[in-house]
Amino acid sequence: MTVARRDLLLGSAVAGLVGGIAPVPLFAADRRAADGAGALPMPAPSDQLPAALPVQDAARVLMDRGWLFHEGDVEPAPLDTHNATYLSVKAGNARGAAAVDYDDSDWQTVELPHDWASFQPFVKTANVAQGYRPRGIGWYRRSFRLDPALRGRRIELEFGGIATNATVWVNGSVVSHNFSGYNAVRIDLTPFARFGDEANVVAVRVDANAMEGWWYEGAGLYRHVWLGDYAPVSIATDGVHCDPRKTAQGWHVPVTTTLTSIAADDATVTVEARLLDPKGGIVAQGQAQATVPSLDQGMATLDLPVTDPVLWSVEQPTLYTVQVRVLRDGRVADERRVPIGFRTLRFDAAQGFFLNDRHVKLKGVCLHQDHAGVGTAIPDALIGWRLERLKAMGCNAVRSSHNAPTPELLDWCDRLGLLVMNENRQFNPAPEYRAQLEWLVRRDRNHPSVILWSVFNEEPMQGTPSGVEMVKRMAHWVRALDDSRPVTAAMNGAFFDPVNVAQVVDVTGFNYYQGDYDRYHQLNPAKPMTSSEDTSAFMTRGAFETDPARHIASSYDVEAASWGDTHRGAWKKIAERPFVAGGFVWTGFDYHGEPTPYEWPTIASFFGIMDLCGFPKVAFDIHRAAWVDDAPVVAIAPHWSWSGREGKPTKVMVLSNAERVVLRLNGKTVGEAAVDRLMGNEWTVPYAPGRIEAIAYRGGREVARAAHETVGAPVALRLTPARTVMAGDTEDAQAITIDAVDAKGRHVPTANLMTRFTVEGGAIIGVGNGDPNSHEPEKGHQRSLFNGLAQMIVRPDVGRGRITIRAMADGLKPASLRLDRLGVTPRAQVATVPAETDLRDWRRSPRFDTRPAADLAPAASDNNGWAFVRAGTPTPAEPAGWRIYRTMLTPRRAVVARGGELGFASIAGMASLYVDGKLVAEKRDPKPGPLSATLPAGEGKRTIALIVAGLGNIESGLIGRVTVRPR
């Protein structure tokens, strides 16, 4: 889409930039202080913005701003007459909050992504699996205008995800019922669209009481919304399949393009494809012809041979771009730019997973879309930051648990070099659920990060003939759309049953049951297998003694669910078996809901390697030691500030990937051993204040050192950002860490005190501290430190300037942080519509030869004698005479309170305007022109009647908009 074309959608909004795709650094690495003594357990800030995500479809424009939200259901008024009932079932005549003219003037303005459940308090009687947060029903509304130049083009509206069951209306007509919170909702607006001054109204009713998962799922429009306009013959959404292939003859990129048409006639187009290298240079190109039937689809296929491409890998995730253009009559009608990566993958029954014919052990984690403070409405930049935290500990794979991920997560994985097990939500081959599965594959099959399709998670029917028949069909549909990746299913049993779904998938997925790895492999030596879920260990960040009464789990990696194992034990079982391709730890981060092993007042899980905020637990260092191969690692636990514990035996864990480690306390060696990389090294040391340090050696040479010191009482707060710069576009977001320091500036890991914040030049959209037992609100400007740490999520204002953040706590020196807010071109947004009511729908009387009385009206059940007309539709030329145009106005609450202005943009003919039977204005010039009148404040319906005198032989009547604006 050109800027000129895009501006037709945007009004005054600014078009966004479309950049090239190249592998670039994203966020700061995990650079903690060299010896760790009193250091903040978070990475040092970056001084650069993260790389922009790719723009595949420049015809799509964000519609995240300008939404109005109402919590709770809105019941329409009862139908009290036959005529009202008759009209209510007609197209465009939705009632209640779905009606075009519904009064939403007192609804809350929100910006997407939006999770209204994240604003709720924790309530003991609410659903435990959903984290004790009430969800309920909510409504959203949004108005926008389309330029008349867009008539004849295909208009599409896409909701990235709606939690959970949703009904969508456009201009008073139902356009979609959706029964999943994880698939995109795509709506062809073309037949419903209105152009010019008449606004389009979208209404969405969301029933978040419906649950698909046993975890916190959020509520509402928690992913992006997009509006796109396309040529009559254009590329279908997700219509380009261009995943590279390698054969004996070398690499090639098969490009299949699905085309769709709303044109009146069949059309022949040229599809042109170019392969661009990371710098934008053309590597290969080709063309193909296609004929697209009217109101149907067509297909174009071509193939691009490639010589010696740079491969995409975990270490070097090199991305190319396939540019596909549709040319009609020599002009570009549509375009896509799809990032791809050249890589091969295979799962071997004996040796596990191979990427580019090189063995790669899957060091993975399971993820829910959820973060402290924002719930499921995670900004794109925060998604990237979370993934970079995983990459810093040596993680190379993620599993989308247990549903389709947001597409931005896959974009980040492509750039970071993270491998993805992409998982379907509903285990059901019925048509609606088949459509969800096929949507997932079509959307994600070009991502080089995706290596596995998982059709289900832990289904009781996995060991039944019915379950096998279901999986056979689902796997067949996946393979029909993508033959390059294997299909798996995350099974939690039935592996040895005579009939089970492992017999009809490509890779057997083990959820736990790690004691059965060897037996399964012996009985099925030709079947590849992987752990699809493992561990389920419990830790409370910063706590080193289990206390069931207080719902606290020790961080020494000794607590695990009955079905799982510790972090060390679970990985050891995977690492020592080459035939197990790898594992996916449950979970990378703590998440709201599914509180385990404790319930109320616990409101979140204990499973994470990191807590809800992304603060590391000891598990983070356990996995760093086991997973990081390209840099020395050494870490020590616990912290060394234990007032009152002097002389008592204290367990010390050292985690390292070196060969040998020495433990020293106040300069004296208290332990030395060969490193056990998988299980770590442990000593029991009498606690003495001072400095404890671990020194790691390889080849007799020191390669890394970690230390903790006994710190003093907190005297001041400290603010540490993820980045020192932010983009001034209101979309960027980052996590700011709050901690307390002692008189020497050292992190105090035992501080638990309330902190308060202010921000200028931005907004705080969420707060947290990682405590799974905390009931403090996750919105607002205060949060307690939990075991030394808290977090705020900050979103910048628009434009260049500074963001100033201040933190305060009673008795401590406050902290101040300044961030540079860079002037960037914001991504384009669909322009909003001013607060006004359009009086669109009118009844038009028959023509009278003599002037009728103003109170003349159709009978209550007359749907035939008086015509239904819309403002802006002229009455054709006819003999001279009079007509009455009547409508009913229920003023919006703002007009009720302050009065309003009734405005006719253009009336053809002389006219008299009556409100509730009273003459309020006249137009004496028969030429087309405006007319306005004041509406007094007050409640109740108003009857608007306009008597128009037509001169004959020319158009007459309402030839322009009719609006009511608050005064």
Side-chain angles (χ1 to χ4, degrees):
M1 180 193 286
T2 64
V3 171
R5 171 63 60 190
R6 175 177 289 199
D7 284 344
L8 299 177
L9 277 177
L10 302 180
S12 61
V14 181
L17 298 178
V18 179
I21 299 171
V24 296
L26 299 176
F27 302 98
D30 193 33
R31 302 191 305 268
R32 290 177 274 189
D35 66 0
L40 182 70
M42 293 296 286
S46 167
D47 60 0
Q48 295 183 351
L49 293 176
L53 292 176
V55 177
Q56 294 193 31
D57 182 359
R60 299 200 317 167
V61 181
L62 272 176
M63 200 160 81
D64 283 355
R65 297 179 194 149
W67 288 90
L68 300 176
F69 172 67
H70 173 81
E71 186 179 345
D73 207 357
V74 179
E75 293 288 343
L79 295 165
D80 54 359
T81 67
H82 170 268
N83 195 55
T85 305
Y86 175 90
L87 294 175
S88 71
V89 297
K90 301 300 181 181
N93 277 3
R95 302 169 58 244
V100 170
D101 59 356
Y102 179 79
D103 184 359
D104 55 17
S105 58
D106 61 350
W107 285 20
Q108 175 189 0
T109 301
V110 298
E111 184 170 332
L112 308 186
H114 180 248
D115 169 12
W116 88 70
S118 69
F119 292 80
Q120 303 300 318
F122 301 102
V123 178
K124 188 175 184 179
T125 55
N127 184 271
V128 55
Q130 297 287 335
Y132 297 105
R133 272 188 162 143
R135 300 202 297 161
I137 293 172
W139 282 82
Y140 295 84
R141 286 173 59 90
R142 175 71 153 81
S143 299
F144 63 96
R145 293 197 176 103
L146 295 170
D147 192 286
L150 296 178
R151 290 185 186 274
R153 293 176 67 83
R154 179 170 66 89
I155 312 297
E156 183 176 84
L157 178 67
E158 176 178 312
F159 295 86
I162 307 175
T164 301
N165 290 1
T167 304
V168 184
W169 292 261
V170 172
N171 295 331
S173 292
V174 173
V175 294
S176 179
H177 294 289
N178 191 70
F179 302 104
S180 175
Y182 300 106
N183 64 287
V185 180
R186 289 174 178 155
I187 299 161
D188 180 7
L189 290 190
T190 313
F192 306 97
R194 297 170 180 174
F195 300 89
D197 290 333
E198 191 172 7
N200 295 270
V201 179
V202 179
V204 187
R205 181 184 185 271
V206 184
D207 180 358
N209 288 316
M211 293 180 288
E212 290 180 275
W214 49 96
W215 58 89
Y216 175 82
E217 297 182 279
L221 306 184
Y222 73 103
R223 292 180 179 172
H224 294 304
V225 174
W226 302 89
L227 184 70
D229 89 276
Y230 303 90
V233 180
S234 55
I235 301 169
T237 304
D238 297 334
V240 176
H241 185 197
C242 53
D243 193 27
R245 300 289 190 273
K246 185 180 183 182
T247 67
Q249 289 72 42
W251 284 98
H252 67 113
V253 182
V255 182
T256 301
T257 304
T258 302
L259 304 162
T260 188
S261 172
I262 63 166
D265 302 307
D266 296 354
T268 299
V269 297
T270 299
V271 176
E272 173 188 88
R274 295 177 177 175
L275 176 66
L276 309 178
D277 65 23
K279 295 183 179 180
I282 298 175
V283 177
Q285 56 187 327
Q287 287 187 344
Q289 302 293 312
T291 299
V292 189
S294 172
L295 298 177
D296 208 336
Q297 291 190 334
M299 198 83 70
T301 60
L302 53 91
D303 198 71
L304 303 178
V306 185
T307 302
D308 196 26
V310 179
L311 300 186
W312 184 95
S313 67
V314 171
E315 299 79 15
Q316 185 63 35
T318 302
L319 293 174
Y320 288 70
T321 301
V322 173
Q323 178 191 41
V324 178
R325 301 197 302 177
V326 176
L327 290 83
R328 188 179 182 192
D329 300 326
R331 296 182 179 179
V332 176
D334 200 5
E335 178 180 341
R336 299 289 185 276
R337 297 174 65 92
V338 183
I340 63 169
F342 289 86
R343 87 284 185 268
T344 62
L345 62 93
R346 61 185 171 89
F347 283 81
D348 183 87
Q351 296 296 319
F353 176 68
F354 287 79
L355 185 70
N356 302 325
D357 292 324
R358 185 175 67 86
H359 180 259
V360 175
K361 199 77 168 181
L362 298 178
K363 305 168 182 176
V365 300
C366 300
L367 291 181
H368 284 313
Q369 183 169 329
D370 181 25
H371 192 86
V374 294
T376 59
I378 307 179
D380 296 348
L382 189 59
I383 292 172
W385 179 82
R386 284 164 55 89
L387 293 173
E388 198 276 338
R389 298 292 295 130
L390 295 173
K391 187 83 173 181
M393 72 174 186
C395 175
N396 64 14
V398 298
R399 173 186 176 217
S400 61
S401 311
H402 304 287
N403 51 265
T406 184
E408 288 77 20
L409 180 138
L410 296 181
D411 289 335
W412 286 123
C413 288
D414 288 345
R415 291 186 166 228
L416 281 165
L418 286 167
L419 307 166
V420 178
M421 178 191 292
N422 204 336
E423 192 155 276
N424 172 61
R425 171 76 289 268
Q426 296 288 352
F427 181 43
N428 193 328
E432 177 181 324
Y433 300 104
R434 173 181 177 176
Q436 291 178 15
L437 175 62
E438 292 182 334
W439 159 82
L440 171 67
V441 178
R442 284 194 182 95
R443 187 195 70 170
D444 297 344
R445 60 188 174 179
N446 294 317
H447 286 279
S449 56
V450 176
I451 62 166
L452 270 174
W453 301 111
S454 174
V455 294
F456 74 61
N457 173 74
E458 297 185 357
E459 288 292 339
M461 296 176 67
Q462 61 200 350
T464 67
S466 293
V468 169
E469 289 300 317
M470 293 165 72
V471 170
K472 283 170 64 175
R473 285 156 177 76
M474 297 172 76
H476 171 74
W477 297 327
V478 170
R479 295 177 187 126
L481 292 171
D482 175 36
D483 61 358
S484 71
R485 299 170 179 88
V487 176
T488 189
M491 299 173 63
N492 64 332
F495 302 103
F496 307 107
D497 289 1
V499 175
N500 69 82
V501 300
Q503 297 161 353
V504 292
V505 297
D506 304 308
V507 177
T508 301
F510 269 73
N511 278 17
Y512 311 101
Y513 286 85
Q514 292 187 287
D516 288 334
Y517 286 168
D518 294 335
R519 180 186 172 203
Y520 186 85
H521 180 60
Q522 290 166 3
L523 294 174
N524 302 275
K527 189 74 164 184
M529 59 184 290
T530 186
S531 166
S532 42
E533 185 173 321
D534 55 75
T535 310
S536 279
F538 307 129
M539 287 188 188
T540 301
R541 176 186 55 77
F544 293 91
E545 185 174 346
T546 296
D547 186 345
R550 297 172 58 210
H551 291 198
I552 293 174
S554 167
S555 290
Y556 279 123
D557 195 32
V558 293
E559 303 286 341
S562 59
W563 60 84
D565 202 342
T566 63
H567 289 274
R568 293 170 293 171
W571 181 248
K572 182 178 177 66
K573 293 180 176 69
I574 295 168
E576 293 179 343
R577 289 165 173 81
F579 57 85
V580 180
F584 292 86
V585 175
W586 190 264
T587 51
F589 296 81
D590 283 344
Y591 53 95
H592 294 92
E594 197 178 15
T596 312
Y598 307 111
E599 295 188 357
W600 183 267
T602 300
I603 48 81
S605 77
F606 291 74
F607 295 117
I609 296 172
M610 289 172 275
D611 69 14
L612 276 163
C613 297
F615 296 138
K617 304 180 186 180
V618 172
F620 187 90
D621 290 321
I622 289 172
H623 288 284
R624 276 207 311 147
W627 288 357
V628 172
D629 296 320
D630 58 355
V633 170
V634 67
I636 190 169
H639 61 76
W640 209 241
S641 298
W642 298 98
S643 178
R645 192 181 177 88
E646 290 77 6
K648 293 183 180 180
T650 302
K651 182 164 72 173
V652 177
M653 294 178 65
V654 175
L655 297 315
S656 181
N657 63 358
E659 295 172 352
R660 194 163 190 81
V661 67
V662 173
L663 182 67
R664 291 179 180 172
L665 176 59
N666 294 327
K668 179 182 178 181
T669 297
V670 293
E672 182 175 354
V675 166
D676 186 336
R677 186 177 180 184
L678 298 182
M679 301 303 290
N681 299 88
E682 296 183 3
W683 289 272
T684 298
V685 179
Y687 173 70
R691 177 185 179 94
I692 190 164
E693 59 185 342
I695 306 168
Y697 296 87
R698 183 173 292 142
R701 183 176 62 87
E702 180 182 333
V703 293
R705 180 180 296 229
H708 292 311
E709 292 180 355
T710 305
V711 300
V715 299
L717 293 180
R718 175 170 57 180
L719 293 168
T720 305
R723 288 180 270 120
T724 59
V725 294
M726 298 191 75
D729 59 3
T730 79
E731 280 195 76
D732 192 10
Q734 70 158 313
I736 309 292
T737 299
I738 309 103
D739 77 322
V741 297
D742 69 0
K744 295 183 178 180
R746 298 173 299 187
H747 169 67
V748 180
T750 56
N752 292 279
L753 48 89
M754 180 61 72
T755 61
R756 302 177 299 278
F757 325 121
T758 64
V759 62
E760 299 171 9
I764 297 173
I765 61 174
V767 294
N769 62 12
D771 181 0
N773 300 314
S774 175
H775 289 197
E776 293 178 17
E778 295 194 33
K779 306 294 183 181
H781 287 70
Q782 65 178 30
R783 189 68 175 190
S784 295
L785 297 182
F786 172 64
N787 291 338
L789 297 170
Q791 182 181 85
M792 68 178 84
I793 311 297
V794 173
R795 185 174 64 197
D797 291 342
V798 173
R800 182 183 297 274
R802 285 283 182 90
I803 301 172
T804 302
I805 303 167
R806 296 179 179 88
M808 297 145 284
D810 293 344
L812 271 62
K813 182 180 178 181
S816 180
L817 174 68
R818 289 187 176 182
L819 306 173
D820 287 329
R821 195 177 68 229
L822 305 182
V824 300
T825 302
R827 286 200 291 184
Q829 291 269 355
V830 176
T832 57
V833 173
E836 60 189 14
T837 301
D838 268 297
L839 294 181
R840 301 182 183 87
D841 299 314
W842 294 73
R843 299 297 302 275
R844 184 182 66 195
S845 74
R847 186 181 63 83
F848 298 100
D849 291 328
T850 58
R851 180 187 173 99
D855 59 356
L856 188 64
S861 59
D862 181 1
N863 294 302
N864 303 96
W866 286 54
F868 293 87
V869 297
R870 284 184 172 274
T873 305
T875 300
E878 59 183 359
W882 284 265
R883 288 185 185 266
I884 303 177
Y885 298 79
R886 292 179 62 89
T887 193
M888 297 295 296
L889 166 67
T890 301
R892 293 181 172 234
R893 282 175 278 274
V895 175
V896 169
R898 304 191 302 272
E901 188 76 16
L902 174 61
F904 293 78
S906 186
I907 300 172
M910 295 182 291
S912 300
L913 175 62
Y914 295 82
V915 176
D916 296 332
K918 179 180 179 182
L919 180 66
V920 295
E922 289 191 289
K923 176 177 175 289
R924 301 185 181 280
D925 187 344
K927 295 179 181 179
L931 180 66
S932 63
T934 297
L935 279 177
E939 296 183 349
K941 288 185 177 182
R942 312 291 174 84
T943 300
I944 312 296
L946 185 74
I947 301 178
V948 177
L951 297 182
N953 301 320
I954 59 172
E955 294 181 337
S956 63
L958 305 178
I959 63 174
R961 292 177 68 205
V962 184
T963 59
V964 179
R965 294 185 174 90
R967 296 180 66 181

